[in-house]
């Protein structure tokens, strides 16, 4: 019995003293792959930095995440009072890894644990807005990498505030949890951001809170499918040129799935109390769906779109990339698909403008592709309903708007003007009246 006790003690000692160095390398590679995967999924960011300073029980290192999204770069530069040509903003992530099957060294910190794992890590983040003057982002990210390689990261932020010569920020807290599997092929996100406000250079942004839940999986084609639900409460955006901007509440739900190498999806969005100059408070409700998009052709098109978003002029960049994906565009159209706008309602003080749209493309021979043939194969229907007061206001502001009524494109029915349009085999019918359309010659 004593000999077995000695053997057990030796094994435990080996686990505690020998495993950290071996496991540290495995954990470091896991953390690196997760960070690179997150960068790829986020798009418009790049990860760089030196290697970790690896020790036997602990490792420390820094990674720089450059933000290349032009809209986000412009927003950060504006809040930091930097010129538009400032260097790209960078997130600087500093991480300490405590590794070993039993991470004893983690007990030195408040969130430490002796639960078996490849490693546990604590990361802090700074933001360099582009002037080489990093700003510490409060809070820390605690990550646990399990024995299977799956990881869970949690970011918690207590209530606080920040002030410097040009910026004031205050927040009530945040709790964000991200879970990935061992191959970083699936991601779960649960985020709650409490109310916060940022003021800088006469501009301000505030929200009453944000909630996000998401479950995503990477397909063999490189893009994700899954679901996301997001709610943003009471956003107020103030600028010297446009005071009183923002909206009351935004909710968004979307889901996609891959079935028999085809992608199906649906998204529902609702936004209330949008401040629209000259119109008052506006609400928008939208329900979109698509079915049957060929996944193999979709992948290069999505990659090209993401690449174009790193440019100051995304539209021009996408046009420049188009020749490389022309065959993929032809292929995805020839494969057939259906797009539906189940609902697109704009609620105005004068009434609700409602529209519906359905576009259906049957599968055709990709070797004989031509846009005229696509137009002939297309079947589309559209419906529009506009309250009479809105049409009358438009006619008073622009007499040419009355031509829509005179031509029969809008037909009055009670208190609304309606339009029903259908397109099939090159013929457009609006409110029962046929309207032949000239089609381009086949090429």
């Amino acid at each position: 019995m004593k000999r077995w006790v000695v053997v057990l003690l030796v094994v435990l000692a080996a686990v505690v003293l020998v495993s950290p160095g071996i496991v540290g390398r495995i954990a470091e590679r896991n953390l690196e792959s997760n960070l690179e995967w997150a960068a790829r999924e986020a798009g418009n960011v790049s990860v760089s930095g030196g290697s970790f300073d690896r020790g036997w029980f602990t490792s420390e290192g820094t990674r720089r995440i450059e933000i290349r999204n032009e809209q986000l770069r412009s927003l950060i530069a504006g809040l930091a009072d930097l010129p538009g040509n400032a260097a790209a903003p960078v997130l600087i992530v500093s991480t300490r890894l405590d590794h070993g099957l039993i991470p004893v060294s983690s007990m030195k910190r408040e969130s430490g644990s002796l639960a078996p794992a490849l490693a546990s890590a604590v990361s802090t983040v700074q933001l360099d807005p582009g002037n080489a003057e990093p700003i510490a982002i409060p809070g820390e990210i605690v990550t646990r990498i399990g024995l299977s390689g799956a990881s869970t990261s949690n970011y918690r932020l207590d209530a606080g505030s920040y002030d410097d010569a040009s910026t004031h920020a205050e927040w009530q807290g945040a709790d964000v949890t991200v879970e990935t599997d061992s191959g970083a092929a699936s991601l779960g996100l649960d985020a709650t951001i409490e109310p916060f406000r940022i003021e800088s250079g006469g501009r301000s942004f505030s929200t009453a809170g944000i909630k996000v839940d998401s479950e995503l999986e990477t397909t063999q084609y490189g893009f994700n499918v899954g679901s996301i639900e997001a709610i943003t409460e009471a956003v107020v955006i103030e600028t010297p040129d446009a005071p009183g901007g923002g909206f009351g509440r935004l909710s968004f739900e979307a889901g996609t799935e891959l079935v028999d190498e085809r992608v199906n999806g649906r998204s529902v969005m609702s936004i209330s109390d949008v401040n629209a100059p000259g119109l008052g408070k506006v609400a928008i409700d939208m329900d979109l769906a698509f079915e049957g998009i060929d996944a193999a052709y979709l992948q290069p098109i999505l990659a090209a779109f993401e690449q174009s978003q790193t440019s100051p002029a995304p539209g021009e960049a996408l046009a420049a990339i188009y020749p490389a994906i022309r065959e993929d565009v032809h292929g995805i159209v020839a494969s057939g698909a259906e797009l539906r706008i189940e609902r697109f309602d704009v609620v105005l003080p004068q009434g609700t403008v409602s529209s519906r749209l359905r576009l259906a493309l049957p599968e055709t021979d990709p070797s004989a592709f031509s846009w005229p043939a696509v137009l002939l194969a297309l079947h589309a229907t559209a419906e529009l309903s506009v309250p009479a007061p809105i049409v009358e206001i438009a006619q008073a502001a622009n007499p040419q708007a009355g031509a829509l009524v005179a031509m029969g494109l809008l037909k009055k029915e009670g208190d609304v003007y309606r339009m029903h349009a259908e397109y099939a085999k090159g013929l457009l019918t609006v409110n029962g009246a046929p309207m032949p359309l000239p089609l381009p010659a086949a090429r």
Side-chain angles (χ1 to χ4, degrees), residues 314-324:
E316 295 177 7
L318 186 59
I321 295 172
Y322 178 75

Side-chain angles (χ1 to χ4, degrees), residues 97-377:
L97 272 172
D98 298 300
H99 38 76
L101 297 180
I102 301 178
V104 177
S105 57
S106 73
M107 295 307 296
K108 296 178 182 178
R109 53 180 169 80
E110 181 179 349
S111 54
S113 172
L114 287 178
L118 285 181
S120 61
V122 175
S123 301
T124 56
V125 183
Q126 294 176 297
L127 171 64
D128 178 355
N131 58 3
E133 298 179 6
I135 302 169
I137 296 178
E140 62 182 21
I141 304 169
V142 178
T143 301
R144 182 178 181 276
I145 304 173
L147 296 177
S148 67
S151 66
T152 300
S153 297
N154 178 250
Y155 171 73
R156 286 192 177 181
L157 174 66
D158 295 328
S161 62
Y162 169 85
D163 286 282
D164 64 14
S166 61
T167 303
H168 170 73
E170 55 187 44
W171 55 88
Q172 295 186 20
D175 191 335
V176 180
T177 299
V178 178
E179 297 180 342
T180 65
D181 67 1
S182 57
S186 67
L187 179 145
L189 170 66
D190 183 358
T192 300
I193 301 174
E194 302 294 344
F196 68 89
R197 178 179 178 84
I198 302 174
E199 301 176 23
S200 180
R203 305 176 182 88
S204 69
F205 176 92
S206 67
T207 177
I210 301 171
K211 174 68 176 175
V212 180
D213 288 297
S214 179
E215 295 287 342
L216 300 175
E217 293 185 0
T218 300
T219 67
Q220 66 266 37
Y221 298 101
F223 56 80
N224 289 335
V225 295
S227 64
I228 181 171
E229 299 180 16
I231 296 175
T232 302
E233 304 281 2
V235 169
V236 178
I237 303 172
E238 299 275 358
T239 67
D241 300 329
F247 54 86
R249 187 178 193 267
L250 185 151
S251 63
F252 177 79
E253 296 182 21
T256 54
E257 60 178 356
L258 183 63
V259 180
D260 296 330
E261 315 309 314
R262 300 283 181 137
V263 182
N264 306 323
R266 186 166 190 166
S267 61
V268 178
M269 185 190 76
S270 177
I271 181 170
S272 66
D273 294 331
V274 180
N275 291 319
L279 295 176
K281 297 287 188 179
V282 174
I284 299 173
D285 293 302
M286 186 167 57
D287 187 344
L288 309 177
F290 59 87
E291 295 178 1
I293 296 180
D294 191 291
Y297 291 116
L298 179 62
Q299 190 275 332
I301 295 173
L302 291 178
F305 179 79
E306 291 178 1
Q307 181 181 346
S308 71
Q309 298 307 296
T310 63
S311 168
E316 295 177 7
L318 186 59
I321 295 172
Y322 178 75
I325 59 171
R326 180 184 289 110
E327 295 303 318
D328 297 299
V329 173
H330 293 175
I332 205 169
V333 173
S335 298
E338 182 173 319
L339 170 66
R340 299 188 304 276
I341 301 179
E342 307 274 8
R343 177 183 56 174
F344 187 14
D345 295 348
V346 180
V347 183
L348 304 166
Q350 299 84 1
T352 300
V353 178
S354 298
S355 57
R356 310 286 185 272
L357 176 68
R358 176 180 177 270
L359 301 174
L361 270 174
E363 188 172 354
T364 57
D365 182 4
S367 64
F369 180 88
S370 71
W371 285 112
V374 170
L375 292 176
L376 284 172

Side-chain angles (χ1 to χ4, degrees), residues 64 66-67 73-74 76-77 82-90 128-132:
R64 296 172 61 86
E66 179 180 322
I67 300 171
R73 288 178 63 170
S74 177
I76 294 173
L82 296 177
N85 60 352
V90 175
D128 178 355
N131 58 3

Side-chain angles (χ1 to χ4, degrees), residues 59-80:
S59 298
E60 296 183 5
T62 301
R63 288 293 179 267
R64 296 172 61 86
I65 303 176
E66 179 180 322
I67 300 171
R68 297 180 293 179
N69 181 280
E70 287 297 324
Q71 290 76 21
L72 190 53
R73 288 178 63 170
S74 177
L75 175 62
I76 294 173
L79 290 174

